[in-house]
Amino acid sequence: MLELVEEHRCFDGVQRIYRHESETIGLPMRFSVFLPARASSGKVPALFYLAGLTCTEETFPIKAGAQRYAAEHGIALIAPDTSPRGADIPGEKDAWDFGAGAGFYVDATREPWAKRYRMYSYVTQELREVVLKALPVREDRIGIFGHSMGGHGALVLALRNPDLYRSVSAFAPIAAPSRCPWGVKAFSGYLGDDRSAWAQYDASELILGDAAGRFEGGILIDQGLADQFLAEQLHPEVLERNAQKAGHNVTVRRHEGYDHGYFFISTFVGEHVAHHARVLCF
């Protein structure tokens, strides 16, 4: 059962925060929803947004300014939290890049994380079902995008589930997590040392496989060249190279002077919503 935590009028639609008891996580989970005015008279397409390290369900709706563009196109926006909260796992809050606020959109298999840290299944299954059951969203018109850790998540979820997501894009994604400190730390902690398990959550590896989804509008990625994490953590060139090798349509746009934060995202979020709208709104 959904509990409405708060609601605000926004661009003639509504911005909400919901809370529910998650069976997948075994804890309460929160997510934000923007419903455009068109949702008052019928079902609308939807975009799921996955946020980055340390973020919550509130980060995107407060900072990105995407509601204006979603209202214009008649698209709903859904943004879950980035991890379980209150799992009471020792060390869960010791680091900003692992544990609370850093679920990495995987289903953990290593204890003590395996019981609660199941963000992959939560987003692709439970949250999707909750949204479709309770909100005026079209099941056949859903896209996904995200930023940094969430950009990694969006790419992975889309490539593995093209039957669920018709469009995908990302801002400064962790594009090759098996090769960077953030990803190695997260995958080792959540999945153990078997790198074949890591590959199932690495977009640069997935895109080489025959089962990887191909998307009508291609994959759009924006990357700031003043991003402090670009060289060590993000590696869009690996995804770009592997996509070309496998014949996938991936566009990486590089922007001088832009860093890793939400000023960057807010600059280009309208173009991302339009990218999805070309596929979802017809």
Side-chain angles (χ1 to χ4, degrees), residues 9-230:
R9 190 74 167 163
C10 185
F11 291 102
D12 292 327
V14 289
Q15 179 68 55
R16 296 171 178 165
I17 300 287
Y18 285 106
R19 179 184 181 275
H20 72 115
E21 296 292 332
S22 168
E23 295 182 5
T24 303
I25 304 296
L27 292 166
M29 292 293 290
R30 289 162 60 108
F31 64 96
S32 66
V33 175
F34 170 73
L35 293 174
R38 290 181 208 176
S40 63
S41 58
K43 292 187 176 183
V44 296
L47 272 174
F48 281 74
Y49 177 87
L50 306 184
L53 291 164
T54 75
C55 294
T56 72
E57 75 286 345
E58 293 184 302
T59 309
F60 177 72
I62 291 173
K63 291 187 174 183
Q67 295 95 332
R68 175 189 301 273
Y69 308 104
E72 290 173 1
H73 293 285
I75 294 176
L77 301 171
I78 297 107
D81 201 350
T82 51
S83 77
R85 305 285 174 173
D88 294 328
I89 296 172
E92 182 183 33
K93 298 180 181 179
D94 288 354
W96 65 274
D97 57 355
F98 183 80
F104 262 83
Y105 306 101
V106 304
D107 282 350
T109 55
R110 187 177 182 184
E111 298 299 341
W113 310 97
K115 183 177 181 180
R116 305 293 192 202
Y117 277 68
R118 296 175 46 79
M119 291 300 293
Y120 177 87
S121 289
Y122 173 72
V123 175
T124 59
Q125 298 174 28
E126 185 177 15
L127 179 60
R128 174 187 170 88
E129 291 169 5
V130 166
V131 166
L132 290 175
K133 182 177 181 180
L135 300 172
V137 167
R138 290 193 57 167
E139 182 176 5
D140 61 336
R141 304 283 177 87
I142 294 176
I144 190 166
F145 64 153
H147 168 235
S148 193
M149 177 186 71
H152 138 77
L155 293 171
V156 167
L157 269 58
L159 289 169
R160 288 180 57 172
N161 300 279
D163 55 327
L164 302 184
Y165 307 107
R166 296 189 59 168
S167 58
V168 59
S169 69
F171 300 94
I174 304 173
S178 299
R179 304 186 184 206
C180 75
W182 281 341
V184 170
K185 180 177 183 178
F187 288 177
S188 298
Y190 294 136
L191 305 173
D193 298 327
D194 181 2
R195 284 186 170 254
S196 65
W198 297 14
Q200 297 305 305
Y201 296 103
D202 188 319
S204 292
E205 297 296 327
L206 288 168
I207 208 162
L208 290 170
D210 293 337
R214 294 177 183 270
F215 300 91
E216 179 183 337
I219 297 173
L220 173 63
I221 294 173
D222 276 311
Q223 175 62 60
L225 292 179
D227 189 321
Q228 63 271 42
F229 303 115
L230 176 56

